[in-house]
Amino acid sequence: MSDVEERSSSSSSVSSQQPANEVTIRMPRRVDHTYHDYANYRVDLLRPSDPDYTAFHGGNRKSANNFPAKLHSILSNSEYGHIIRWMPHGRAWKILNKDLMVSEVIPKYWGQTKYESFSRQLSGWGFKRLHQSGPDFRAYYHECFLRGLPFLTKLMKRVAATNQGKLLPHPDGEPNFYSIDIRCPLPDSADHPPPPNPPMPPMMYPQHPPLRHPASYPPQPPVFVGSPHGDPPAFHQKHVHSNYP
C-alpha cells in the first residue's frame, strides 16, 4: 500500500470514529404555559365543520361525567370550600386540605383513597401547576377549566403519554390570571354571569382590534397568553371571543 493510500485510510478511520466520541447536550424541557382564553367561548357559533362541534353535538355522554366534569362540580359546591376552592380570578384552583381531600372528597367521587392516583389524573387531563411565588403558588389550571363555565370541560381531552421525561417548572412563563381577570372577568357560578365589562379606551396592538365589549367581537382565534416556548396546545378552536389581545 502506498503512503497516499495509507494516509487516506487512516484519515477515514479517524473521521468514522468522531461521531461516536461526540457528546450531545440536550437542553432541559420546560412546561409550556402558552394560554388560550376561553372565557367568551360561543357554542352557538360552532359549525358542523369545526373540530369542536362534535364535543357538544356528538351525543358523547362520557364527557358529561368525566374526571374534569366531576372536579368542576366539586369546586362549584360550597360544601367543600374549606378543602378545595377556586382562586379569586376563577382560572385556577387549589387544594387547601390534602388530608380531607383524600378522606372525604376523593372516595366519594372516584371510589379510591390514593392522592397519587388523583394527581396522575390531573396530569393525564392536561392540568398544569403554578410555581410562581404569590397567592396562586401550587394552584392548578387548564385553559378549558374555568369557574362558572362547566360546559368547557367537554373540550378537554386526555394528554398522550410521552417518553421524554419530566418537564421542569417555568415560573417566568406562567400567565398572569389577575391581569386577565381585570379585562375579562368570569362568572361566580354557572347561574350568575358577570356584569358587562366597563367601556375601555381604544388601545392599539399589532394585528389586534381596539379593546371593546366582547359582544361586539366577530369570531376570532383564541388569544395566546404566556410562554413563547414550546409547541402550542393541541386545540384548534375557531370561535373564541376575548376582549384583550
Short mmCIF file of all heavy atoms in Angstrom, two decimals, residues 1 13 15 18 20 24 30 70 89 113 178 201 206 209 212 220:
data_model
loop_
_atom_site.label_atom_id
_atom_site.label_comp_id
_atom_site.label_asym_id
_atom_site.label_seq_id
_atom_site.Cartn_x
_atom_site.Cartn_y
_atom_site.Cartn_z
N MET A 1 0.85 -1.19 0.00
CA MET A 1 0.00 0.00 0.00
C MET A 1 0.88 1.24 0.00
O MET A 1 1.82 1.36 0.78
CB MET A 1 -0.90 0.01 1.23
CG MET A 1 -1.85 1.20 1.30
SD MET A 1 -2.84 1.18 2.82
CE MET A 1 -3.83 -0.29 2.53
N SER A 13 -10.60 6.43 8.80
CA SER A 13 -10.86 5.67 10.01
C SER A 13 -11.09 6.60 11.19
O SER A 13 -11.98 6.38 12.02
CB SER A 13 -9.68 4.74 10.30
OG SER A 13 -9.87 4.07 11.52
N SER A 15 -12.17 9.78 11.01
CA SER A 15 -13.41 10.52 10.82
C SER A 15 -14.62 9.67 11.14
O SER A 15 -15.64 10.17 11.61
CB SER A 15 -13.50 11.04 9.38
OG SER A 15 -13.51 9.96 8.47
N GLN A 18 -15.21 9.77 14.96
CA GLN A 18 -15.52 11.02 15.61
C GLN A 18 -16.96 11.13 16.12
O GLN A 18 -17.17 11.56 17.25
CB GLN A 18 -15.20 12.19 14.68
CG GLN A 18 -13.70 12.45 14.57
CD GLN A 18 -13.38 13.59 13.63
OE1 GLN A 18 -14.25 14.04 12.89
NE2 GLN A 18 -12.14 14.03 13.65
N ALA A 20 -18.89 8.96 17.29
CA ALA A 20 -19.08 8.16 18.49
C ALA A 20 -18.54 8.87 19.72
O ALA A 20 -18.96 8.61 20.85
CB ALA A 20 -18.41 6.80 18.33
N THR A 24 -23.76 14.74 22.99
CA THR A 24 -24.93 15.54 22.68
C THR A 24 -25.50 16.14 23.96
O THR A 24 -25.84 15.42 24.90
CB THR A 24 -26.02 14.69 22.00
OG1 THR A 24 -25.47 14.11 20.80
CG2 THR A 24 -27.24 15.54 21.66
N ARG A 30 -38.98 22.55 29.48
CA ARG A 30 -39.79 23.25 30.46
C ARG A 30 -41.27 23.15 30.12
O ARG A 30 -41.65 22.90 28.99
CB ARG A 30 -39.37 24.72 30.54
CG ARG A 30 -37.93 24.92 30.97
CD ARG A 30 -37.58 26.39 31.06
NE ARG A 30 -37.61 27.04 29.76
CZ ARG A 30 -37.34 28.32 29.56
NH1 ARG A 30 -37.05 29.09 30.59
NH2 ARG A 30 -37.37 28.84 28.36
N LYS A 70 -66.43 16.09 36.95
CA LYS A 70 -66.63 15.82 38.37
C LYS A 70 -65.86 16.83 39.22
O LYS A 70 -66.38 17.34 40.22
CB LYS A 70 -66.17 14.40 38.70
CG LYS A 70 -67.08 13.31 38.18
CD LYS A 70 -66.58 11.95 38.63
CE LYS A 70 -67.49 10.82 38.16
NZ LYS A 70 -67.00 9.49 38.62
N HIS A 89 -59.73 34.74 40.74
CA HIS A 89 -59.98 35.02 39.33
C HIS A 89 -60.75 33.91 38.63
O HIS A 89 -61.26 34.10 37.53
CB HIS A 89 -58.65 35.26 38.60
CG HIS A 89 -57.60 34.24 38.94
ND1 HIS A 89 -57.66 32.93 38.52
CD2 HIS A 89 -56.46 34.36 39.68
CE1 HIS A 89 -56.60 32.27 38.97
NE2 HIS A 89 -55.87 33.11 39.69
N THR A 113 -58.79 6.02 47.55
CA THR A 113 -58.27 6.91 48.60
C THR A 113 -56.79 7.23 48.40
O THR A 113 -56.09 7.57 49.36
CB THR A 113 -58.44 6.25 49.98
OG1 THR A 113 -57.78 4.98 49.99
CG2 THR A 113 -59.91 6.07 50.32
N TYR A 178 -54.61 37.33 37.21
CA TYR A 178 -55.23 38.51 37.83
C TYR A 178 -55.33 39.65 36.83
O TYR A 178 -56.31 40.40 36.82
CB TYR A 178 -54.43 38.93 39.07
CG TYR A 178 -54.51 37.91 40.17
CD1 TYR A 178 -53.57 36.89 40.26
CD2 TYR A 178 -55.55 37.94 41.10
CE1 TYR A 178 -53.66 35.94 41.26
CE2 TYR A 178 -55.65 36.99 42.10
CZ TYR A 178 -54.69 35.98 42.17
OH TYR A 178 -54.79 35.03 43.15
N PRO A 201 -60.79 52.51 26.93
CA PRO A 201 -60.28 53.34 25.85
C PRO A 201 -59.62 52.48 24.78
O PRO A 201 -59.08 51.41 25.08
CB PRO A 201 -59.26 54.24 26.55
CG PRO A 201 -58.84 53.47 27.76
CD PRO A 201 -60.07 52.73 28.18
N PRO A 206 -50.46 45.25 17.75
CA PRO A 206 -50.20 44.72 16.41
C PRO A 206 -51.16 43.60 16.05
O PRO A 206 -51.32 42.64 16.80
CB PRO A 206 -48.76 44.20 16.51
CG PRO A 206 -48.15 44.97 17.63
CD PRO A 206 -49.28 45.21 18.61
N PRO A 209 -57.63 44.28 17.06
CA PRO A 209 -58.53 45.44 17.07
C PRO A 209 -58.47 46.16 18.41
O PRO A 209 -57.97 45.60 19.39
CB PRO A 209 -59.91 44.81 16.86
CG PRO A 209 -59.76 43.44 17.43
CD PRO A 209 -58.35 43.01 17.13
N ARG A 212 -62.82 46.49 23.18
CA ARG A 212 -64.23 46.84 23.21
C ARG A 212 -64.99 45.71 23.86
O ARG A 212 -64.42 44.69 24.24
CB ARG A 212 -64.75 47.14 21.81
CG ARG A 212 -64.55 46.00 20.80
CD ARG A 212 -65.00 46.48 19.42
NE ARG A 212 -64.96 45.45 18.42
CZ ARG A 212 -63.91 45.16 17.67
NH1 ARG A 212 -62.79 45.84 17.85
NH2 ARG A 212 -63.95 44.21 16.78
N GLN A 220 -63.11 34.87 16.35
CA GLN A 220 -61.68 35.00 16.14
C GLN A 220 -60.95 33.89 16.85
O GLN A 220 -61.51 33.25 17.75
CB GLN A 220 -61.19 36.36 16.64
CG GLN A 220 -61.55 36.63 18.09
CD GLN A 220 -61.13 38.02 18.51
OE1 GLN A 220 -59.96 38.32 18.57
NE2 GLN A 220 -62.10 38.86 18.80
#
